[in-house]
Amino acid sequence: MSKFFTSRKIFDNVTQIGGLGGELCYLIEGSEKALLIDGLTGVGSLKAFVRECTDLPVTLVLTHGHVDHAGASFEYGECYVNPADVALLYEHGDIDKRYGFVMGGGKPEGAFVPKKEDVVPPCAVKTLPVQDGDVFDLGGVQIEAIAVPGHTAGTMVYLDRARRVLYSGDACNANTLLGLPCSTTVETYAKSLEHLATYLKGIDKFYGGHGLQAVPAYIVDEALILCEEILSDADDRFETEFLGRKFLYARKFDGMFHREDGGIANIAYVMEKVYNK
């Protein structure tokens, strides 16, 4: 039992680990090594928690450099990250940013409330490059990296071909945030999704960085349709505020990000970041 983390087995060799802000990471074990996909916020010692889960040597790899995905980099002192997100990793390493994330939105009554001293302090990190097509061989388990620039310029996702599962971070979900300072344009994101779509015949579902349950792989097809509609001015342009920023959403949705038309994917964007210049 941990005050800081929850965990559950989603496969016999894969543990889904949750942090205090609802963010998720994935520990995948092979016969020789383990791969930790994402590092939560760095509030509490994820490294110590992972050590309780496996005796194997652990490699940390990031889907992207945001505050809720890269925190454990400052514990491990080393991680694989796409070079385009290295600066973002350090920017989001700020203690106040990370503490603010887990405290944002308030805590349910009786929930554990961390102190700022529980935040792992930032430090220099040995950042190892991960690129499209790289493969992590864990011993009987191979995890392939796929580049999907969009949410951030360096967004990566990780494919387990044997299990037909993709670990997708924030690359494509019910609230895919483009329009952030670190995001690409919608036009670039559409090209990224086209690349990801070439893998879909071998994927059944995505496990993401938020939301405990997997989503079907056809979410990519839905997102591609939304990109086409945004680029042709045919989407809903549903204006709303999220995380203190104003976004346009491709589809109208309720307060739980459920689309009114029953679809799954949605894209939040700003007009300045629709087309490549």
Side-chain angles (χ1 to χ4, degrees):
M1 180 67 71
S2 169
K3 291 181 178 180
F4 296 95
F5 308 105
T6 59
S7 66
R8 69 180 184 120
K9 285 279 190 181
I10 56 174
F11 297 109
D12 60 347
N13 70 323
V14 182
T15 304
Q16 182 189 68
I17 301 172
L20 291 174
E23 72 280 21
L24 300 170
C25 66
Y26 298 88
L27 178 66
I28 305 173
E29 296 174 86
S31 61
E32 300 172 6
K33 303 174 186 176
L35 190 69
L36 180 62
I37 299 177
D38 279 344
L40 308 181
T41 55
V43 178
S45 178
L46 179 59
K47 186 177 182 180
F49 186 80
V50 167
R51 187 69 183 85
E52 294 291 327
C53 298
T54 184
D55 293 329
L56 295 167
V58 176
T59 297
L60 173 63
V61 60
L62 305 184
T63 60
H64 61 294
H66 274 159
V67 57
D68 49 331
H69 296 263
S73 303
F74 304 112
E75 270 201 292
Y76 282 92
E78 178 177 302
C79 69
Y80 282 87
V81 58
N82 185 277
D85 271 21
V86 170
L88 185 64
L89 182 159
Y90 284 111
E91 178 189 340
H92 280 228
D94 178 79
I95 287 177
D96 289 332
K97 275 184 184 288
R98 290 188 281 140
Y99 185 69
F101 180 89
V102 300
M103 297 301 291
K107 292 286 180 190
E109 187 175 348
F112 172 66
V113 177
K115 298 178 181 179
K116 194 176 285 190
E117 303 91 84
D118 294 319
V119 183
V120 175
C123 64
V125 178
K126 183 179 181 181
T127 54
L128 305 168
V130 60
Q131 305 282 4
D132 189 77
D134 288 350
V135 175
F136 296 89
D137 189 342
L138 310 180
V141 177
Q142 287 77 41
I143 304 297
E144 184 176 348
I146 305 169
V148 189
H151 179 58
T152 68
T155 289
M156 305 294 297
V157 298
Y158 298 94
L159 172 62
D160 184 339
R161 289 182 184 267
R163 293 194 181 274
R164 299 178 60 86
V165 169
L166 189 82
Y167 298 97
S168 56
D170 292 348
C172 186
N173 53 41
N175 183 26
T176 304
L177 294 176
L178 305 186
L180 297 171
C182 56
S183 300
T184 71
T185 63
V186 175
E187 189 174 352
T188 292
Y189 182 53
K191 292 176 182 176
S192 297
L193 290 178
E194 288 171 0
H195 175 55
L196 180 57
T198 64
Y199 293 85
L200 291 187
K201 288 183 179 179
I203 305 172
D204 294 326
K205 54 190 175 181
F206 290 13
Y207 278 99
H210 306 274
L212 296 174
Q213 302 306 316
V215 297
Y218 64 73
I219 192 172
V220 172
D221 297 321
E222 290 189 355
L224 270 169
I225 291 171
L226 296 182
C227 286
E228 291 168 4
E229 292 180 354
I230 294 168
L231 291 167
S232 59
D233 300 329
D235 67 302
D236 289 347
R237 288 196 181 178
F238 181 56
E239 187 172 345
T240 192
E241 189 171 301
F242 183 70
L243 298 178
R245 297 175 182 270
K246 289 184 178 180
F247 292 102
L248 298 172
Y249 278 81
R251 282 286 184 275
K252 294 179 181 178
F253 59 89
D254 65 17
M256 298 299 292
F257 293 99
H258 298 139
R259 275 172 45 173
E260 289 184 356
D261 63 3
I264 303 172
N266 213 342
I267 296 173
Y269 66 98
V270 295
M271 288 305 300
E272 308 89 83
K273 284 198 167 189
V274 172
Y275 305 101
N276 292 335
K277 297 177 181 179

